[in-house]
């Protein structure tokens, strides 16, 4: 999917890029720009002052790490749009595997990338729309390239960074070019082969597949064997009372 080299690697055809020095959050900036985009657009900032992760949790972003959001208008229902977290995870895995041995990487449901057991990257999706299809979808990506965030005490998995795990040093703009190209490939694969292929690729890199894990939903803890993800992206656990499909939870090993 690569087309041109702009000094920061090849950039995929049909995607735009916005580079900012500082912003409150690239997710917020994406929402502001959403009404005016004419193509999928990556927004990257050197620093963010109010970055956030899942469920409003703060996301610590030292300069030198990647802070970026892809804003797009897919012709998709909210459920179909949400599946793009798996496209983003696959793309992150492929991009990171260029800079660190792939055997150190794994994908943790629903939207984290682990490196040597620590969280190196996270994905956050937001969308807007009143009808059957979303008006826009934003995919926020944070990757600890150079620095391991300090003071993170409530994380299920301790943060790590590419550099801390012995990976190659890479600048955020260069990594974004690698990631954007990998993501464009995932979109093309979704169009040609459907979500089933995306799902298979994600499962091939899934952390603790076939092992006992615990899903904490906020209402209950469900422990079982991590069997699969279903066609809608739900986590499937085999429990003492049978299979359980879980749409949202924090995962513990």
């Amino acid at each position: 999917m690569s087309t041109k080299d702009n000094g920061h690697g090849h950039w995929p055809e049909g995607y735009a890029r916005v580079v900012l020095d500082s912003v409150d959050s690239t997710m917020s900036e994406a929402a502001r720009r959403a009404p005016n985009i004419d193509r999928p657009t990556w927004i990257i900032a050197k620093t963010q002052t109010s970055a956030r992760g899942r469920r409003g949790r703060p996301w610590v972003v030292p300069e030198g790490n990647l802070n970026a959001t892809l804003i797009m208008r897919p012709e998709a229902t909210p459920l179909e749009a949400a599946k793009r977290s798996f496209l983003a995870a696959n793309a992150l895995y492929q991009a990171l595997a260029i800079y660190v041995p792939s055997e150190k990487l794994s994908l943790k449901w629903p939207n984290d990338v682990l490196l040597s057991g620590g969280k190196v990257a996270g994905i956050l999706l937001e969308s807007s729309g009143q009808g059957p299809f979303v008006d826009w979808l934003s995919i926020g990506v944070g990757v600890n390239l150079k620095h391991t965030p300090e003071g993170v005490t409530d994380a299920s998995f301790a943060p790590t960074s590419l550099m801390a795990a012995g990976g190659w040093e890479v600048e955020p703009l260069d990594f974004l070019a690698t990631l954007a190209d990998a993501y464009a490939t995932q979109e093309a694969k979704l169009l040609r082969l459907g979500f089933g292929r995306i799902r298979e690729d994600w499962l091939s890199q899934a952390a603790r597949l076939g092992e006992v894990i615990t899903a904490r939903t906020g209402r209950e803890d469900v422990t079982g064997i991590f069997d699969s993800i279903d066609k809608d992206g739900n986590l499937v656990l085999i429990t003492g009372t049978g299979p359980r499909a879980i749409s949202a939870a924090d995962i513990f090993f």
Side-chain angles (χ1 to χ4, degrees):
M1 298 297 294
S2 299
T3 54
K4 62 181 180 178
D5 190 327
N6 56 15
H8 292 286
H10 292 278
W11 193 256
E13 183 178 1
Y15 287 72
R17 186 184 68 175
V18 175
V19 181
L20 304 171
D21 283 331
S22 180
V23 72
D24 50 355
S25 81
T26 57
M27 293 292 280
S28 296
E29 182 67 14
R32 290 189 288 266
R33 291 176 180 257
N36 301 313
I37 62 167
D38 61 359
R39 69 191 70 183
T41 300
W42 282 96
I43 300 170
I44 183 174
K46 292 180 181 177
T47 60
Q48 296 185 103
T49 58
S50 300
R52 62 188 185 278
R54 288 182 66 228
R55 302 181 181 179
R57 295 165 181 153
W59 178 267
V60 182
V61 283
E63 188 170 349
N65 290 350
L66 177 77
N67 319 293
T69 295
L70 174 63
I71 179 72
M72 61 192 304
R73 285 203 184 100
E75 292 185 4
T77 65
L79 178 61
E80 291 167 341
K83 294 178 184 178
R84 280 174 166 79
S85 65
F86 297 98
L87 278 70
N90 288 345
L92 273 169
Y93 182 96
Q94 293 168 1
L96 284 163
I98 293 174
Y99 304 101
V100 70
S102 60
E103 58 266 23
K104 293 186 176 183
L105 295 165
S106 60
L107 302 178
K108 184 173 78 70
W109 187 90
N111 49 18
D112 292 338
V113 183
L114 303 182
L115 173 55
S116 298
K119 182 174 176 177
V120 70
I123 301 161
L124 177 65
L125 267 64
E126 293 181 352
S127 63
S128 177
Q130 299 297 321
F133 296 100
V134 299
D135 291 334
W136 54 262
L137 170 72
S138 58
I139 305 172
V141 177
V143 186
N144 301 330
L145 296 175
K146 293 186 178 180
H147 308 290
T148 302
E150 298 178 354
V152 179
T153 59
D154 61 346
S156 305
F157 293 79
T160 188
S161 68
L162 187 64
M163 291 289 290
W168 296 358
E169 183 174 0
V170 56
E171 294 300 318
L173 279 172
D174 294 326
F175 186 85
L176 180 63
T178 303
L179 174 61
D181 195 49
Y183 185 84
T185 299
Q186 290 291 312
E187 279 285 345
K189 187 178 291 188
L190 178 68
L191 180 62
R192 292 196 313 270
L193 304 174
F195 181 70
R197 178 57 186 272
I198 303 297
R199 172 182 170 274
E200 290 175 9
D201 290 348
W202 188 93
L203 283 168
S204 71
Q205 315 299 342
R208 302 299 178 94
L209 186 66
E211 299 182 23
V212 175
I213 64 173
T214 295
R216 183 167 295 167
T217 68
R219 299 186 305 273
E220 61 177 334
D221 288 0
V222 182
T223 298
I225 298 172
F226 177 13
D227 181 64
S228 186
I229 59 172
D230 66 18
K231 62 181 180 61
D232 293 325
N234 297 316
L235 177 73
V236 179
L237 295 183
I238 304 301
T239 73
T241 58
R244 287 280 304 272
I246 297 170
S247 61
D250 288 323
I251 300 302
F252 298 86
F253 301 158

